[in-house]
């Protein structure tokens, strides 16, 4: 619903000079729902659950005029509150190496 996990990730990396970030949910009723423009803008999409990857693939299956960015599943359970310290630590531990890898491979 774009209220806790992905919003926390966006907050963590919002001012990180290495990346530009957007946070969006996949369900109707999300604070901000992922859009076609988001997918066209992104170099990579990180989702919290496999269900989110499936929802994106299903919802945007009819878009054949561009290549989807890679969608990586983080497998972060929906048991944390927004900016909860344990969630922040999990996200940083998972995403910092991914960001470093992407930057190393893309210059």
């Amino acid at each position: 619903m774009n209220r806790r996990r992905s919003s926390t990730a966006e907050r963590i990396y919002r001012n990180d000079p290495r990346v530009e970030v957007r946070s969006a949910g996949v369900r109707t009723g999300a604070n901000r729902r992922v859009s076609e423009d988001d997918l066209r803008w992104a170099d990579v999409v990180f989702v919290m659950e496999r269900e989110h990857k499936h929802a994106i693939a299903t919802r945007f299956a009819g878009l054949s005029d561009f290549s989807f960015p890679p969608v990586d599943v983080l497998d972060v359970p929906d048991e944390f509150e927004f900016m909860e310290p344990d969630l922040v630590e999990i996200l940083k531990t998972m995403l910092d190496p991914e960001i470093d890898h992407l930057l190393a491979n893309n210059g």
Side-chain angles (χ1 to χ4, degrees):
M1 297 296 287
N2 188 232
R3 294 190 177 118
R4 299 185 304 198
R5 295 172 292 176
S6 64
S7 294
T8 296
E10 180 182 19
R11 175 74 61 88
I12 293 167
Y13 292 100
R14 176 185 297 164
N15 296 314
D16 188 321
R18 301 175 298 166
V19 294
E20 293 179 41
V21 296
R22 293 182 185 173
S23 172
V26 296
R27 295 186 184 115
T28 302
N31 283 344
R32 183 178 177 285
R33 194 167 184 209
V34 67
S35 70
E36 178 181 340
D37 287 341
D38 293 325
L39 296 175
R40 290 182 184 276
W41 171 83
D43 293 321
V44 64
V45 174
F46 293 102
V47 296
M48 300 297 160
E49 301 174 20
R50 293 189 188 290
E51 164 191 318
H52 300 155
K53 181 176 182 174
H54 178 72
I56 290 170
T58 301
R59 181 168 169 221
F60 297 102
L63 300 178
S64 59
D65 64 329
F66 84 106
S67 287
F68 275 85
V71 179
D72 293 342
V73 180
L74 299 175
D75 285 321
V76 176
D78 190 14
E79 58 189 41
F80 300 98
E81 294 301 321
F82 176 70
M83 293 301 291
E84 184 175 324
D86 287 344
L87 175 59
V88 170
E89 183 63 28
I90 289 168
L91 291 171
K92 289 181 90 166
T93 298
M94 296 177 91
L95 290 170
D96 277 348
E98 293 291 332
I99 292 168
D100 290 340
H101 177 76
L102 288 167
L103 292 173
N105 289 331
N106 293 325

